[in-house]
Amino acid sequence: NTSQEEVLKQIRDLKKQVDAIILAHNYQLPQVQKVADFVGDSFELCKTAREVDSSVIIFCGVHFMAEGAKVLAPEKQVIIPDNNAGCPLADMASPEQVREIKKEFPETPVVAYVNTSAEVKAESHICCTSSNAVDVVNSLDSDSVIFLPDQNLADYVSKYTDKQVIPWNGYCISHVRVSTEEIEETRKYYPEAPILVHPECPHEIKETADYIMGTGGMVKFARETEHSTMIIGTEEGLVHRLKRENPAKNFYLLSPSFFCSNMKKITPQEVLHSLKNLAPEIEVAEETRVKAYQALNNMLRATQ
Ligand code: 13P
């Protein structure tokens, strides 16, 4: 029955003792974001994992994110406080399936969204995140690309490239439940407020919204805009960060369906537990890691 304050204090002390840094994704619980040293989008987390010099990374996010950190920073111990925090979208592409499609299109590069396992990244030419998917695709010297696993991000990319985008059939269960009726209703209540949606949302949602951007883009937009009220169309955890950073502005979630239970699995108590035990630790077979590293590194190089 340790109090919240006591948990926070123990986390701060232990972090120093074991030379750890706590990274958290924008969708994490507010109390987890509070204990983190760095909170960011998928791309910022990749870069930060590689740049920090602590020997331990406590990664508060879903499994593929922590795995990506391990791929980029193999010399560090990467710990995920809850090993069950998965990503259904990442599970929609297996390495066997990628090998099959490569046989069908042997000349076509595979662009893997970071929401994939290390094994799938290892079968891919280059990775991307929502913030750089268009630039990554356009950086490739090929008339077509295989884009996986998110069909809605593929649809978004195809609007901004002349290349043929061969999509996969994956989707994020937390971003596809929103309806155009919810957009219409929200507009009635807040006619002046821009509606920002994540590119993982379905086509008709993106067509009806005002802006399409990843979570990092939304953080920047909220900071810089003159608007005092915004409607947020992505996982609800981001709204906590936006409110914290912009206390004079109002943020409303476009739909209660923007909720990812996997992103809510990690708690401060679990962070403390993982700091005490330095477990569960992320392991990636070296052969897979080296290939997955190439794909992630190609992304970092293409978007410098
Ligand atoms: P961002 O790259 O926008 O943070 O998105 C992460 C994600 O997994 C969306 O579902």
Side-chain angles (χ1 to χ4, degrees):
N1 268 345
T2 328
S3 75
Q4 184 77 0
E5 274 318 304
E6 183 55 26
V7 171
L8 297 190
K9 187 183 171 307
Q10 287 186 29
I11 289 175
R12 274 195 298 271
D13 293 348
L14 255 178
K15 222 169 52 173
K16 280 200 209 109
Q17 273 176 40
V18 300
D19 186 30
I21 187 163
I22 303 177
L23 307 184
H25 187 264
N26 286 327
Y27 296 158
Q28 288 289 292
L29 287 171
Q31 58 271 38
V32 171
Q33 295 191 25
K34 198 172 154 192
V35 300
D37 298 292
F38 179 82
V39 181
D41 71 6
S42 314
F43 185 62
E44 293 163 333
L45 289 168
C46 283
K47 281 199 303 184
T48 308
R50 187 149 84 160
E51 286 159 11
V52 292
D53 46 31
S54 347
S55 40
V56 177
I57 296 176
I58 305 290
F59 202 109
C60 304
V62 290
H63 195 272
F64 76 80
M65 294 179 173
E67 203 181 43
K70 181 68 186 176
V71 167
L72 285 166
E75 70 291 354
K76 293 168 194 155
Q77 230 181 323
V78 179
I79 311 293
I80 183 161
D82 192 318
N83 220 352
N84 294 319
C87 171
L89 169 60
D91 294 340
M92 291 178 193
S94 70
E96 295 77 25
Q97 289 171 317
V98 183
R99 285 194 284 273
E100 279 305 308
I101 199 165
K102 284 202 302 194
K103 274 190 217 149
E104 217 179 306
F105 302 97
E107 305 297 322
T108 310
V110 176
V111 180
Y113 191 25
V114 286
N115 301 42
T116 43
S117 66
E119 285 177 310
V120 164
K121 289 183 178 78
E123 292 292 338
S124 308
H125 176 69
I126 190 165
C127 289
C128 73
T129 70
S130 63
S131 66
N132 60 27
V134 172
D135 291 343
V136 163
V137 168
N138 283 329
S139 76
L140 296 170
D141 186 18
S142 163
D143 293 338
S144 59
V145 298
I146 296 164
F147 192 97
L148 58 88
D150 191 278
Q151 57 183 278
N152 293 307
L153 183 59
D155 159 73
Y156 170 73
V157 169
S158 63
K159 221 177 138 176
Y160 297 96
T161 183
D162 294 333
K163 298 184 198 300
Q164 186 203 359
V165 180
I166 302 166
W168 199 259
N169 57 6
Y171 57 89
C172 164
I173 55 172
S174 308
H175 278 94
V176 299
R177 292 180 291 227
V178 54
S179 65
T180 46
E181 289 74 33
E182 284 172 301
I183 296 203
E184 283 156 24
E185 276 301 299
T186 309
R187 283 219 195 270
K188 276 191 221 150
Y189 284 110
Y190 306 104
E192 307 293 328
I195 300 182
L196 283 55
V197 300
H198 198 278
E200 287 179 16
C201 290
H203 183 79
E204 64 279 11
I205 299 297
K206 293 196 286 270
E207 290 290 299
T208 358
D210 298 306
Y211 297 96
I212 305 163
M213 51 184 88
T215 63
M218 292 185 192
V219 167
K220 188 163 181 281
F221 182 95
R223 192 184 300 140
E224 294 171 0
T225 184
E226 304 271 289
H227 288 281
S228 57
T229 300
M230 278 149 272
I231 310 300
I232 303 302
T234 193
E235 210 282 330
E236 64 93 40
L238 179 71
V239 173
H240 300 289
R241 173 166 178 192
L242 296 175
K243 285 185 176 163
R244 194 175 62 246
E245 292 184 0
N246 307 276
K249 295 179 183 173
N250 304 304
F251 301 93
Y252 299 108
L253 195 64
L254 173 58
S255 160
S257 66
F258 285 115
F259 183 83
C260 171
S261 55
N262 282 294
M263 279 287 180
K264 311 299 165 188
K265 286 188 175 156
I266 295 173
T267 61
Q269 281 78 4
E270 280 195 319
V271 171
L272 178 58
H273 193 254
S274 65
L275 273 166
K276 281 183 183 158
N277 299 291
L278 293 184
E281 185 171 355
I282 300 282
E283 315 252 16
V284 183
E286 187 58 9
E287 201 188 326
T288 306
R289 192 198 68 76
V290 171
K291 291 189 201 150
Y293 179 89
Q294 286 297 342
L296 278 168
N297 198 39
N298 285 344
M299 166 183 83
L300 293 170
R301 283 217 313 255
T303 53
Q304 255 164 20

